[in-house]
Amino acid sequence: MMDRFFLYCAIYLSFLMLLSLYRAILGPTVLDRLIGANAIGSKTAVLLILIGLIYHRVDMFVDIALAYAMLNFIAVLAASRYFQKRKGLFGE
Amino acid sequence: MDIVDIAVAVMVVCGLIFFTGGAVGILRFPDFYSRLHPAGKLDTGGSFFMLGALALFNLEAFSLQTLLVSLKILLIVVFVFLSSPTAIHGIVDAGVRAGLSPWTKGEKRR
Amino acid sequence: MLWQLDLVILTLVVATAIGAVAIKDLLGSAILFGAYSFMMCLLWAIMGAVDVAFTEASVGAGVSTVFFVAAVFRTTRRTKD
Amino acid sequence: MISIKPLLAVLVSLLVVPILVSSRTPNVREAWTFAAASAKFLIVVSMVPAVLRGEQLVYTVAQVIPGAPIAFRVDPLGMLFALVASSLWIVTTAYSIGYMRGLGEHGQTRYFCFFAIALSSTIGVAFSANLLTLYLFYEILSLATYPLVTHHQDAEARVSGRKYLVYILGTSIGLVLPAMLICYHLSGTLAFSDQGFLAGTGPPQLMTILLFMFVFGFAKAAILPFHGWLPAAMVAPTPVSALLHAVAVVKVGVFSIVRVLTGVFGIELLSWLNLGTIVCVIASCTILIASLIALSQDNLKRLLAFSTIGQLSYIILGVGLLSPKGITGGVLHIAMHAFGKITLFFCAGAIFVATGKRNISEMVGIGRRMPVTMTAFFIGALSITGLPPAGGFLSKWYLGLGTLQADQITMLVVLLVSSLLNAAYFMPIVYRAFFCPAEMAMFENRVQEAPAFCVVPLVLTALISIILLFYPEPFFSLARLVAQGVTGG
Amino acid sequence: MSEIISSVVAHYNYWIYIALMMIGLYAVIGKKNLIKKIIGVNIFQTAIILFYVSIGAKKGATIPIIHHGPGGGHHETTASVIEASQYMNPLPHVLMLTAIVVAVATLGVALALAIKVYNQYGTLEEDEILSRIRVR
Amino acid sequence: MKFLGIIVVVITGALLVYTTGDFPSWSDPASPASTHVSPHYIEKGMHETAAPNIVTAVLADYRGFDTLFETTVVFCAGVVCFFLLRIPGRSPFTECQYRHKATGITVRVKHDRKMSGSFGEFERIDTLWTPHDLIIQTACRILIPFIQLFALYVIAHGHHSPGGGFQGGVILGASIILLAISHDLRTALDRLGEKAHAILCSVGVLVYAGTGAVCMVLGFNFLDYGALARILHVDPVMARSHGILVVEVGVGLAVMAALIWIYSNVSSRGNYDEGL
Amino acid sequence: MSSQYPGLLIIVPLLSALLISVAGWVNKRLCFPIAVVGLSVALYASIGLLLRVLAADPALDGGVVLYRLGGWDPPWGIAYYVDRLNALVLVVVSVSALLNLIATKNDVRESFSTKIGAFYTLYILLVTGLLGITVTGDAFNLYVLLEITALTGYGLIAMGGEYRAPLASLNYVYMGTIGACFYLLGVGYLYMITGSLNMADIASILPGLYDSKVVLAAFVICMVGVWLKMGFFPLHAWLPNAYTYAPSAVSSLIAPLMTKVMIYVMIRLMLTVFTPEFTFSVLALQTSVVWLAVIAIVMGSILALGAPDVKKMLTYIIVAEVGYMVGGAWLGNRAGMTGSILHIANDALMTLCVFLAVGNVVYRVKGYGFDDLRGIFVKMPFTMIGFVAGAFSIIGVPPTCGFFSKWYLISGGIEAGHYGFVAALVFSSLINAVLFFKLIEVGYYGSEDAHHHHGTTPVSMAEAPVSMVVPLLIVAGGLIAVGLYTGDIVARIIDPVIAQTIMD
């Protein structure tokens, strides 16, 4: 029962990812894309745990999610660093 | 259907609502700075509720191992709480340095 | 074996891939490529390949996007297609 | 009989190349060249008795392809050719020394090295036991003579070098190689045998095509229309022209054609398919056209070149007659023409060394100043025209007999007409050299004979040309053996 | 209905892998920007990884890590009989770990090369580079 | 080019889709892939290598040779990036400015001479100086030790849960990259200098290949960890398990160092001056 | 010890590469000796393997040396299979690599002075990868090794100091990666249908599955991948630039070996994994592939005619040579396959010879345009002897080895009745002759202004150092020696390989 519930939750979450993806693909500026990607990332970590629960092997998936949570923001930081170094938003 | 399951379901639904809000906010808010708000707050909150619920659910069959797993899930929450605001801060900083001006009412959506 | 989730994520993956290739901004491409690898990671997890998912998670989130951003930073964001 | 002598005969001049390269003074270098030439000649001569006894010396170097090893076989035809080439090398070496020193040419070491390599491959062609080995040495010869032809390294040499390579390499890669492979595919072997190995292996049309591929493919034989390289190659220093374009290169071409006709196709197959006539027609066309062109030449060496083109086809004509006498005559003509033509070239070179003149029109009255040279020239011309007392008469005689034997009267007419033409382009030179009025002579008193190194060889070859009429051994016996072998009688 | 779904499910993964692969291939052939091409190459590689992992999936099986006792560590505590059908096929996973690593390594090298190209020509567009070469 | 691309893509895609008709259906337990070789790994792997994570067992033992070269590929990438991009010698700036963090005194140093001794108290300020961002730096300073700890856990726990040398190595490398991003490339390189990570990279692969070579010296085949039983005084199965661990450590080292190497070259265009 | 030869073959170079990498940071002078030692051991091991394989009785165990890595039995672990075919390729690879290493020592020391450790590391790893590809019996392992060679190749090529090198290398990255991925995909198809990755195991399972579309697709995809990697004609676009703009020490390693090893892989796939029966009778691709090869040969030759400099010309010749070998292998008869295998060895040697010579010229003259070659015969006589030997071999002049493989290829074409292929081979020989004599002429005649009668203006001799010339001359001598031993090589090494399969 709970499995089914979690499965629907997961599908719903992936639907939400689609919404964020819309922003990530069409977002007018790069920073909007960045927000979209970040949102996708935070949902991914949750989805990983959900999948682990559905598999009944959450002890195996939790490491992945942990690593994910740790590393997810490196990319975001890196991308934001791009602008901190006095490079413009549009073009060079 | 014991009490824990219900609690878990409620928390998960809460988390989903947060996430929905976040997603809709990211989608619908007019400009970059306002979109940061749902991205920063609602997603973090959603993660908190969802992960908390899952940690709780995991504890149902209590053992040392499941406790460890639950602690790890909580650790993820901690990490999300630490890293998500930092990331958002970085993005805001980038936006400011890139010279993006905030949206004011009446302007076209961006 | 979660074929329902599998179908949804697969569709997302294709959308992300098209986006990453089509966007006329290399930094955006790099970011979307990061998102693409998140999706891939999920996909591996769904199909039960935990080790692959772990690798994809650490590589996609931690390293390859950073490399892309660094390379774009050192070259240019401009692209004609 | 297995013997390493054929290999030695090939290798002896190759082995001397490193010594030549490293030798410090010209004298040492030339001494070594002489030594190699003599050694080669001795080795070749030492095999003559065995060949005359009817034995064949065989030596296999490497098994490269099943049915086609790199192997040597000494038979009468090869022996005859090797004897001519190796004996003339000695003479030419002496002549080269005189010529090159006389003109102070550059790059003499290179010249002698490639000369040695060319001679090696000539002997290799002569002794090759199968088509593959023949092709191998044929190619090496083509490549080794390129630096000799283009020795002057000027614009003219560049043009004629290109022409040379295009003709020689183009035909050998484009025609001979595929033809050889088709032969191999048909019969599974490439080894020459007296009766040929192609009989009964393929349809007549294919045989005809193969024949054309071979005859035109060995472009060194300068059969029309693949003759263009030969006059062009006359830019080379005269000893090169002499040895290589009167003896080695062109004779290798002719020799290869003869080898292929007799050893690959076999007389029987040729006569059955009536291919001999085709060969004869091709050859006679070449003879007549080349002689006519020669008539209009003013440059002496070019004239000699066109004469060579015509004379080579005599040999092919002789073999193409497919009659024992004709083959004897053709094969004998290899030797006779070699001695006659080399004399002529030597004379041309000697004149050039002594006077710097190249054109016939400038040689009026030269006989007074250079009597020895011009006498030798006269003898050579006689030999080429086929008149006694020179050796050429003998081979022409046999060729004539061959046409009768083969019942090809047309060919006899061709022979006679071409002999007349030969006389027509040679005799005016001799006449003007000796009998022109003194006031018309274009030379001053200080012109005299070329250096001794130049003169002695040409006298020698002229004498041999005469001697060969009266004592044609061992060439005559060898030629008869060849004819006996290939016609089975 | 369920038959249609099952037949779609039976090949859906393979179609998607082909779609991804073609996206990558198109990016490599059709795009002119060098970094876009690198992204294309990477998508191509992940498509193949997707294909392999799809091979390895097995219905009714769990992830290829054997259930072992809570003490963890010693093999004596394992359940005595392990059925192959309980666990997923580990081999494609192993292969794909290697493939991912290779992909990352290739990515690094390709980016380094792209930077070098940019240093030399000042642009990443292939046609501009070619015109610059021609001018030179 | 675009048109050609579309044609090629459509044709190739159509051919590939055509062949999917004969594929065994997705996740079919009876497909050949699941029935020929892999059951052996699943059923015997645990008994033969004492590693519950079959993927690790196959990766580091059954197909350990693949993994050796996989590590070598990463090593290669590091060397290639260095080879291509690194500009040897001093940075082009002849004069550098350092600021003492506590007092704010600015020191000029000629020819990029290193500040001796208490370098940590100074920070470099010059045209390439990056803005000082307190929030990010602090957050990262807190997070990095945990990330590294977790990475070590992942390497060591590869037998029992997903993870292993490669994943752990990537996380370790990523932590240092995070340091470089949040602070400065120079800061990261002060922790782990160029020479150090270059040598570490090859040492990592050497650990792996050396383990195999030790087996060879002991008279077994290359990478046959059973040979280690003699050295470690355990039974061959446990020896295999330990062998896997040693190898994973090597992989982790190599991957970490290689990623840092690639990052520092790519992000600084080879002059190791200023990172992203 | 001798049972460990296959292990030594790969491991010692690998270890030496790692040690070089360390030594590059400690003491740069150690790099070269370590590299020499590593490759010498590899050479020793490969010769040992060849002898062992030759001594093995084909009837007994198929004449195959089996080496189980990690001690696991083949379908589960990775195993090396060494039979006569790959023993031959092994020897060729290790000999060429070692000679090139020694020959280019001075060049490398001058052009890569600061990164000498990295250079030799990549060099040895490249050779390791090539050796591994040759020796491995596992389809996936081959992919990994392929990537090693590719990655090192990318790095080495881009470091030429040439203006266009990085772009050429980057294009190579795209095409090489796509090619390797196609190969990987093909292996995946095979794995899906057979469940195995071991080549011998796959070969034993496949015969029952010949009518499956998946096997067909696997074969075609593998072939496309391999063709991409070897630069077979329509897929060759990356090759000329990459090989031309590579530094000369690298192009003389990569140009001879990379494509040849890929052709070996193709032949291995055709003969061992998919049996000839499948390749030639089930598939209807044979004629079209040979025609493709014909186009490759013709186009390669024509493009070579229009090449602007020496190296470009040689690379287009390589494109044509790839056509030779692919066409020969796909003729579907014994002679063609023999020629193809023989040409792997021969072409490796002659390409090595020519590229070494060009490397020497570049070392002295600092350029490889046609104009840089003026009067080169006087300047560098020994180098040019080597060059001419290699050129003759490529043209196909007996007794150099190039002639004999061409012989087999042409006779295969005649046997198969494929006269287009025969004509293409002859045509390309002629074009090669034109090309090389163009070069030789330029080198022979010296500067244009020397028109006067007695030759050229004197040019002083400036030969490359002995360490560069001697290996070149060894290779040049080897060309003739291999040519003379063709019979032995074919009878003892190549014939048994083809005999194991059903091909007549």
Side-chain angles (χ1 to χ4, degrees), chain F residues 98 100 107 109 112-122:
Chain F
Y98 291 90
H100 191 255
V107 185
V109 179
D112 197 25
R113 207 173 287 147
K114 275 237 164 156
M115 294 293 289
S116 58
S118 55
F119 185 74
E121 293 168 23
F122 288 87

Side-chain angles (χ1 to χ4, degrees), chain G residues 365-438:
Chain G
V365 185
K366 308 288 177 219
Y368 50 82
F370 288 124
D371 286 344
D372 295 318
L373 290 183
R374 288 196 188 290
I376 200 75
F377 272 94
V378 184
K379 240 184 269 176
M380 310 177 73
F382 294 106
T383 299
M384 289 319 276
I385 288 175
F387 181 80
V388 167
F392 285 174
S393 190
I394 291 177
I395 297 170
V397 176
T400 51
C401 55
F403 172 76
F404 296 101
S405 42
K406 203 168 273 185
W407 173 279
Y408 276 106
L409 287 171
I410 295 181
S411 65
I414 292 174
E415 207 173 295
H418 204 300
Y419 290 97
F421 186 63
V422 176
L425 282 173
V426 172
F427 172 76
S428 130
S429 302
L430 289 172
I431 296 284
N432 286 348
V434 171
L435 291 171
F436 281 110
F437 275 101
K438 197 165 78 183

Side-chain angles (χ1 to χ4, degrees), chain A residues 14 18 21 30 33-34 37 44 47-48 51 54-55 61 64 67-68 71-72 74 78 82-83 87-89 92, chain C residues 1-2 4 8 12 16 23 25 27-28 31 38-39 42 45-46 48 50 54 57-58 61 66 69 73 76-77:
Chain A
S14 47
L18 188 63
L21 191 63
V30 179
R33 298 183 208 285
L34 206 52
T44 307
L47 263 176
L48 277 171
I51 294 166
I54 297 169
Y55 267 109
F61 283 79
I64 307 176
Y68 205 88
L71 301 180
N72 183 21
I74 296 186
Y82 185 95
F83 296 100
K87 294 222 177 186
L89 192 55
E92 290 310 280
Chain C
M1 268 328 310
L2 315 164
Q4 303 91 335
V8 179
L12 281 178
T16 323
I23 285 178
D25 175 1
L27 194 60
I31 291 165
F38 304 163
M39 308 273 187
L42 273 179
I46 290 165
V50 267
F54 203 157
S58 47
V66 175
V69 173
F73 177 69
T76 172
R77 253 170 74 195

Side-chain angles (χ1 to χ4, degrees), chain C residues 1 3-4 6-8 10-11 13-26 29-30 33 36-37 40 43-56 59-60 63-72 74-81, chain E residues 5 8-9 12-13 16 19-20 23-24 26-27 30-33 35-36 38-40 42-44 46-47 49-50 53-54 56-65 88 92-94 96-97 100-101 104 107-108 111 114-115 118-119 122-125 127-128:
Chain C
M1 268 328 310
W3 59 266
Q4 303 91 335
D6 185 65
L7 294 186
V8 179
L10 278 173
T11 320
V13 158
V14 173
T16 323
I18 292 175
V21 171
I23 285 178
K24 292 197 180 351
D25 175 1
L26 286 183
S29 272
F33 187 72
Y36 174 81
S37 71
M40 277 294 173
L43 208 50
W44 310 150
I46 290 165
M47 282 193 264
V50 267
D51 279 81
V52 185
F54 203 157
T55 317
E56 185 76 41
V59 168
V63 178
S64 66
T65 315
V66 175
F67 283 179
F68 259 119
V69 173
V72 173
R74 279 301 168 195
T75 56
T76 172
R77 253 170 74 195
R78 192 176 61 86
T79 172
K80 286 197 288 194
D81 55 8
Chain E
I5 288 182
V8 167
V9 167
Y12 191 67
N13 270 45
I16 293 294
L20 284 180
I23 292 170
Y26 174 74
K31 297 283 171 181
K32 290 201 181 73
N33 189 289
I35 289 194
K36 273 283 172 65
I38 295 174
I39 291 178
N42 248 291
I43 290 176
F44 197 93
T46 37
I49 299 171
L50 172 58
V53 175
S54 304
K58 202 190 274 184
K59 210 174 284 171
T62 183
I63 55 174
I65 297 173
M88 289 200 180
H93 303 174
V94 174
M96 285 313 105
L97 276 183
I100 289 179
V101 175
V104 176
L107 174 70
L111 289 176
I115 290 173
Y118 184 80
N119 284 349
T123 175
L124 284 175
E125 304 292 321
D127 44 352
E128 288 175 18

